[in-house]
Amino acid sequence: MISKKIKAGASALALLFVTAALPVHANAASKEIVGQAYIDVPSQLEKGTTKSLKSYVSRLLDKKYVSAGKLYEPPFSGLEDKLYVSVQREKALPIIAGGVSSYSGNEEGLAAALYDGTVRVWSKYKCRKLSLPGGGGAVQTAYGPDSPTLAAAGSEGDRIYVFNLEQCARIPGELPVEHGPVQMMALSRTGDWLSVIDSFNSLLCGPVSGPLQEVSILEGTPLYLGYTPGQGVLVAVEASGRIIKQGMMNNTRMGSDEVPGGPFVDARMAGYVVCLTLDNGREVYWDLRKRAIVKKSEALEQEPAWIYKHNGGLVYSTGVDRWKITEHLGMPMFIVSYSATEKLFRIRDLDRKTRYYSVLDGKEIAGSEADDWKFISARKGVYKVGKKLFRLYDLVCQRGTMRLYGRHIKDKGFYLWWEETGTPNRLNPHPMELPIRESVLADSPALWVPLVEGEVR
């Protein structure tokens, strides 16, 4: 409603309530398991190209989320009294695939091994799906964006198979891992170098055709294995915060970095920045070139999005807050009553919950039984009880003859709706801000919070 102007009428109104998922025909989609539920996989994702992957994610985000600026766009004339919206800021996590045993890569090139023994690929090559010998999901997958080769460890983790994406076929032979199963694998973007961490914490590396040679023994729990964008340096990250660097061209140790603040529970790379996660969810960002802690924004500059496993599925994250929008039929309606004996203001709210407010200070309190509840109505959004005035929502802005009002409900977000005034004007007293009321007393000002678009969490 807010983000698009559409034609009036019942059929057009129905378009406003399509689900957040992309429209797909039943016969053009497959089902995949994510956690305990199955999801539809649009045919667009079956194409196996990075363009189709990016397009799918972009369209999914556009369907389910809106930018802060679009919250201020009035609806098409005649629709303002037919629906309203609620918006809540959250981290968007579109699901790319379900039933994933392992994965490797990013939006520039991605491989996801499924438990059914297949490996789904999104790349510049015309190869969208591969099969592992013997079936079963690959315990580890190694793929570098633009790489013409892909490596995957079988379900037992003691054999590595290499695939040629240009021919969409497995290269004959296999690379045995003496101390399997493989814990981690990484492949350079050129597809020339392969690295492995085995069950003994040995770091092995070499040409993708083999053989792999042991170059180091990790002292701590490995969290990440990968290559720098220039592909000349292999990076292994331990839970302690120790980062081991190995030069591939001359196969020499390049020393190590010690990131303070550990131990860490997870790690990934965005360009030359290593992102380490603590058990409380806080993240630390270490720049390999500066050998120093940097801000999250520097990581996002090098790689604005990343992909990771969550609840058995593969999800896409931009690391920024977006406004999730939900549409509601009709106009917002409050059922308000007043108890003189309890000095309470009772509201049947927009989320269909009942809330109680003190008449003395206008703040929300626990409700109580009363025998003298009396329904009251508002005049221009203001309720009057004796000499006191109460307001549940505030004017956000006016565009032309349309006024936008907003009410905030804790843990539910902002409820927004437009009303026709008949008199043109342009009001915007709090640009890019929405109101939060700590008190419903009319003379108590609302707290206006900024809508910081793209805020990094």
Side-chain angles (χ1 to χ4, degrees), residues 333-351:
M333 183 177 67
F334 302 95
I335 301 176
V336 180
S337 53
Y338 164 67
S339 170
T341 57
E342 298 295 332
K343 293 182 172 55
L344 284 179
F345 198 60
R346 185 177 67 182
I347 303 168
R348 176 71 167 176
D349 223 327
L350 299 179
D351 61 347

Side-chain angles (χ1 to χ4, degrees), residues 270-281:
Y272 288 94
V273 177
V274 180
C275 311
L276 301 104
T277 306
L278 293 161
D279 59 1
N280 61 5

Side-chain angles (χ1 to χ4, degrees), residues 68-312:
K70 289 185 177 180
L71 298 177
Y72 291 86
E73 293 182 6
F76 192 84
S77 180
L79 291 181
E80 68 278 358
D81 60 347
K82 292 182 173 59
L83 50 86
Y84 60 101
V85 302
S86 57
V87 293
Q88 191 168 22
R89 191 157 55 189
E90 69 174 28
K91 187 178 291 185
L93 297 175
I95 298 173
I96 297 172
V100 176
S101 61
S102 63
Y103 75 100
S104 181
N106 55 33
E107 66 176 356
E108 300 300 330
L110 178 66
L114 309 184
Y115 284 111
D116 63 2
T118 62
V119 180
R120 177 172 291 168
V121 185
W122 293 272
S123 70
K124 66 179 183 180
Y125 303 99
K126 295 181 179 179
C127 181
R128 54 191 180 89
K129 190 174 286 190
L130 300 162
S131 297
L132 286 175
V139 294
Q140 292 294 332
T141 308
Y143 180 64
D146 295 332
S147 169
T149 57
L150 179 149
S155 58
E156 300 298 323
D158 57 356
R159 288 178 173 81
I160 298 175
Y161 305 101
V162 180
F163 297 84
N164 184 323
L165 297 186
E166 292 178 313
Q167 299 178 3
C168 204
R170 182 168 70 90
I171 298 174
E174 59 188 40
L175 297 176
V177 180
E178 183 179 358
H179 303 297
V182 171
Q183 290 193 71
M184 290 184 177
M185 291 173 56
L187 187 70
S188 65
R189 291 194 174 197
T190 59
D192 295 328
W193 303 105
L194 177 67
S195 58
V196 169
I197 297 176
D198 66 16
S199 62
F200 282 18
N201 264 17
S202 297
L203 176 59
L204 308 146
C205 62
V208 71
S209 58
L212 303 180
Q213 297 181 343
E214 181 181 298
V215 296
S216 180
I217 300 290
L218 302 186
E219 298 175 3
T221 303
L223 295 182
Y224 175 81
L225 185 65
Y227 291 87
T228 58
Q231 306 172 68
V233 181
L234 172 65
V235 177
V237 182
E238 297 180 353
S240 63
R242 183 167 174 251
I243 300 177
I244 298 169
K245 295 174 287 186
Q246 180 81 14
M248 298 305 299
M249 298 304 296
N250 50 13
N251 198 24
T252 58
R253 181 73 171 267
M254 299 176 62
S256 60
D257 295 346
E258 301 290 340
V259 182
F264 301 95
V265 297
D266 194 18
R268 57 183 171 80
M269 278 186 68
Y272 288 94
V273 177
V274 180
C275 311
L276 301 104
T277 306
L278 293 161
D279 59 1
N280 61 5
R282 191 173 70 86
E283 295 179 325
V284 177
Y285 304 91
W286 183 265
D287 193 310
L288 293 172
R289 294 170 299 185
K290 298 178 181 179
R291 301 190 73 178
I293 293 176
V294 296
K295 295 181 179 179
K296 183 174 184 175
S297 57
E298 295 191 34
L300 290 176
E301 285 176 3
Q302 297 192 42
E303 191 170 310
W306 59 90
I307 294 164
Y308 62 93
K309 278 183 67 176
H310 177 70
N311 194 27

